Amino acid sequence: GAGVSQSPSNKVTEKGKDVELRCDPISGHTALYWYRQRLGQGLEFLIYFQGNSAPDKSGLPSDRFSAERTGESVSTLTIQRTQQEDSAVYLCASSQQGVIYGYTFGSGTRLTVV
Amino acid sequence: SQKIEQNSEALNIQEGKTATLTCNYTNYSPAYLQWYRQDPGRGPVFLLLIRENEKEKRKERLKVTFDTTLKQSLFHITASQPADSATYLCALDDGSARQLTFGSGTQLTVLP
């Protein structure tokens, strides 16, 4: 597609519920990243996928967070048993080959846990 | 510990002047440093990438410098316009060229 697409754009959920966020990267981009941005703060790295290599999960804050990617296409980020501190904008980005190319970000999913 | 610091959370300048934003880092040996622009409610947009062996890079009204001795990058916008108002983020890799770590950003306001 023309850009990175994320859905939903907004999600309000009750504490304790599970949520699933979706990211459609740019076709042909082998690298895909998830970041979290809390209000007024910088981007916090969550997870990185590169082709068929094992993902770099070093940024996931707890075992309630998980992510999958099917080949070089769609990725889903799942948060189980959501907590209020999970409220943030979740940003997905893709690039051609890691950091040597600039990232293209989606507009993010704004998650609010009430 | 590793740290990325961007100068002052907010910077106000007059239209037509040059805006200079600073990115300092400690305990990194990045191969690349990147600058992004972020508007409210949007994801960051890639502006420029500079490699560790490059001193300076330009793109239209934008100029980036990279000093690996000082561990600092400067981002300049010349002939600034109100449309340049946004938050600017620097980002660098940890030497692995796998993923970027972002600074918290500087909010630039160009006053007409």
Side-chain angles (χ1 to χ4, degrees), chain B residues 16-106:
Chain B
K17 300 291 188 183
T18 296
T20 299
L21 284 64
T22 304
C23 177
N24 295 294
Y25 60 92
T26 54
N27 295 321
Y28 279 97
S29 296
Y32 308 91
L33 188 144
Q34 302 187 17
W35 284 89
Y36 289 77
R37 168 183 174 141
Q38 187 173 26
D39 291 284
R42 311 287 296 183
V45 174
F46 171 72
L47 296 175
L48 282 167
L49 176 151
I50 187 165
R51 292 174 169 78
E52 61 175 337
N53 60 351
E54 297 176 316
K55 297 289 187 184
E56 180 180 300
K57 183 161 280 190
R58 293 175 185 262
K59 178 182 176 183
E60 298 173 350
R61 294 185 295 112
L62 308 180
K63 184 178 85 171
V64 172
T65 62
F66 192 12
D67 189 325
T68 55
T69 301
L70 291 178
K71 296 187 182 297
Q72 181 182 79
S73 175
L74 299 179
F75 177 80
H76 305 274
I77 307 175
T78 58
S80 60
Q81 304 166 0
D84 295 327
S85 299
T87 296
Y88 291 86
L89 305 167
C90 71
L92 48 83
D93 77 294
D94 60 0
S96 68
R98 288 173 60 82
Q99 48 94 353
L100 294 174
T101 301
F102 285 80
S104 56
T106 297

